[in-house]
Amino acid sequence: MSDRETPLSGIEQLRHMLETDAQPPIGRTFGVSLVEVEEGRAVFEGVPDERSLNPLGTIHGGYAATMLDSACGIAVHSRLAAGQSYTTLELKVAYHRAMTPGTGKVRAIGTVLSFGRRVAFAEARILDSQDRLIASATSTLLVFAQ
């Protein structure tokens, strides 16, 4: 079996993504990128702009929810063994501060709280450039064999 055929662990897949700048299409759509990963932790960055405005003139909550879901999911992804996959079962989001196009760069930091045979729990928070909390989330994820 060649190296290319050898299944990679989750952390190996993610490190490869970072090395090759292979961001998923949803990241390009929202202007959000995975910038750091280690086992059990993932960090995304983005700069919300007018493309994500809601009718009130603030950034739509879906922008924060997408960043939080991504941070939780990729933190869990980093713990997967070769041949495992996952899917989000539940995401609970709390909005603490409004985002606007003037907010500037935001960071979503996801951390695995526990990782079992079938279920993982993660949390994430979005911080602005002054480390003020913008939004937070908890997530339950199903872990399964591919």
Side-chain angles (χ1 to χ4, degrees):
M1 183 181 281
S2 73
D3 288 340
R4 194 168 281 214
E5 295 170 359
T6 303
L8 299 177
S9 69
I11 192 69
E12 291 169 330
Q13 292 171 8
L14 295 170
R15 286 180 178 148
H16 179 72
M17 279 179 52
L18 283 175
E19 290 168 4
T20 61
D21 195 29
Q23 299 289 332
I26 187 73
R28 287 191 299 277
T29 298
F30 279 85
V32 172
S33 298
L34 177 64
V35 296
E36 294 175 34
V37 67
E38 59 190 66
E39 196 167 313
R41 184 174 181 274
V43 180
F44 284 82
E45 287 183 349
V47 179
D49 61 28
E50 66 283 342
R51 293 175 297 165
S52 297
L53 288 176
N54 64 27
L56 299 172
T58 59
I59 300 301
H60 191 281
Y63 182 92
T66 298
M67 284 190 80
L68 293 164
D69 185 42
S70 297
C72 286
I74 295 301
V76 167
H77 191 134
S78 73
R79 295 280 308 271
L80 297 177
Q84 283 187 309
S85 192
Y86 69 96
T87 191
T88 301
L89 293 174
E90 177 184 50
L91 181 71
K92 181 178 180 187
V93 177
Y95 299 95
H96 304 273
R97 178 183 302 270
M99 269 192 279
T100 68
T103 299
K105 186 185 293 183
V106 294
R107 291 172 61 85
I109 303 161
T111 307
V112 173
L113 299 173
S114 67
F115 189 95
R117 274 185 337 114
R118 301 277 299 156
V119 177
F121 297 90
E123 66 181 4
R125 61 193 190 287
I126 296 176
L127 304 173
D128 67 12
S129 62
Q130 297 173 29
D131 285 336
R132 293 180 298 194
L133 182 63
I134 292 176
S136 60
T138 57
S139 184
T140 306
L141 302 101
L142 178 65
V143 178
F144 55 91
Q146 291 180 330

